[in-house]
Amino acid sequence: MTKYMVANWKMNGSLETAHDFCQTFTRLFHAHQTDNTIVIFPPHPYLSFTNGALSGTDISLGAQDCSGASEGAFTGETSATMLADVGCSYVIIGHSERRQQHQESNTFLSDKIKCALEANLRPIFCIGESEQDFETGKTQEVLKTQLQVLNDFKGNDKLILAYEPVWAIGTGKVARLDDIENTCAFLKKELFDVYQLSSPILYGGSVKADNAKDILSLQSIGGVLVGGASLKPDEFWKISTAIVIPKKPQTSSFSPKL
Ligand code: PEP
C-alpha cells in the first residue's frame, strides 16, 4: 500500500525557493521514481506556480488550510473550491499551529472538512496532544475529543488523519517509536469502531531523513507529515524514498497460444 509523504512548507520561502525546490525535486523524481504518494503544500501565493512546476510528475499539490465557508464576505480567506481551481487535491485541516494561533474549534473544523469534501479535496485532519497532556497520561482522552469532529463524516473514505504530538512539531523531539505505534494503533481502532473509517494515519513531528525509515516501518503508520525537513529537496526526497513500495507487477495482455 502507498505511503503518504507530505511536505508542509508552512509560511516559508519565496517564489525563487519554490522554483529551486521543484527543479531539484522533479529531477530526483524523474531519475528514480517512487510509488509513494508525494504531496507538496506550499504557501497559498505559490500554489499555482508550484502546480505548474510539478506538471509531468505524479506529485500532488495541497493547501495548508481552507475556509469553512463556501464564498462571500470573508476577507483574506480562501475557499476550498478556489484551491481545487488552482490544482490542489489535498488540504491540511486543524494543524496545531492554526488551532493555537486561530483558536479553531471542533465546529469550525467540521465546517472546513465539509467544504473540502464538497470541493473534492482530500482533507488531512491533524490531531495531537500537548506536552502536558502527554506527560500526565491524557493523550488518548485528548485525541478522542479531537476525533469527535469526524462524527459528521462517518464512513467517508476520502479522509486522512495526521497524528502530530504538539510537543514534537518543530522542536527536534521525536516521539518514541513504541509510543507512536501504540497511539496510532489506538487511533486506527477508534476510527474503525466509532467512525467506520479505515483512513491512513500519518505521523508528524520532527521527521527527518535519518528517522523516517524507522517511523514509516511502523505497522499503523500510513505516511509522514514533514515540516522543516521538507524545505530541503534532497532531504525530503530521502524521506520520500526511505521506504520502498514494491512496484505492482505489470499485467500483460499477452496470452500464449496453446
Ligand atoms: C508540521 O509542520 O506539521 C511538522 C510536523 O513540522 P516539523 O516536521 O518541522 O516538526
Side-chain angles (χ1 to χ4, degrees), residues 8 10 95 97 164 168-171 204-208 225-229:
N8 176 19
K10 312 194 188 197
H95 191 283
E97 285 153 14
E164 301 202 290
I169 299 179
T171 58
S206 299
V207 175
K208 306 268 182 291
L225 198 164
V226 187

Side-chain angles (χ1 to χ4, degrees), residues 111-187:
D111 288 345
K112 290 186 178 212
I113 295 179
K114 186 164 171 284
C115 286
L117 291 168
E118 280 171 3
N120 217 15
L121 299 180
R122 287 197 74 174
I124 300 184
F125 179 54
C126 300
I127 59 171
E129 81 285 2
S130 68
E131 188 150 33
Q132 199 191 356
D133 293 331
F134 175 70
E135 272 166 6
T136 52
K138 295 208 184 95
T139 299
Q140 294 195 358
E141 187 189 325
V142 169
L143 297 180
K144 268 189 179 188
T145 308
Q146 293 176 341
L147 280 181
Q148 283 168 8
V149 169
L150 302 180
N151 263 321
D152 299 333
F153 308 102
K154 285 186 175 171
N156 193 311
D157 63 5
K158 291 264 189 288
L159 281 161
I160 296 174
L161 191 74
Y163 167 57
E164 301 202 290
V166 178
W167 49 272
I169 299 179
T171 58
K173 291 190 217 169
V174 191
R176 285 165 42 135
L177 290 174
D178 56 348
D179 283 337
I180 300 175
E181 177 54 28
N182 289 341
T183 303
C184 291
F186 157 77
L187 289 170

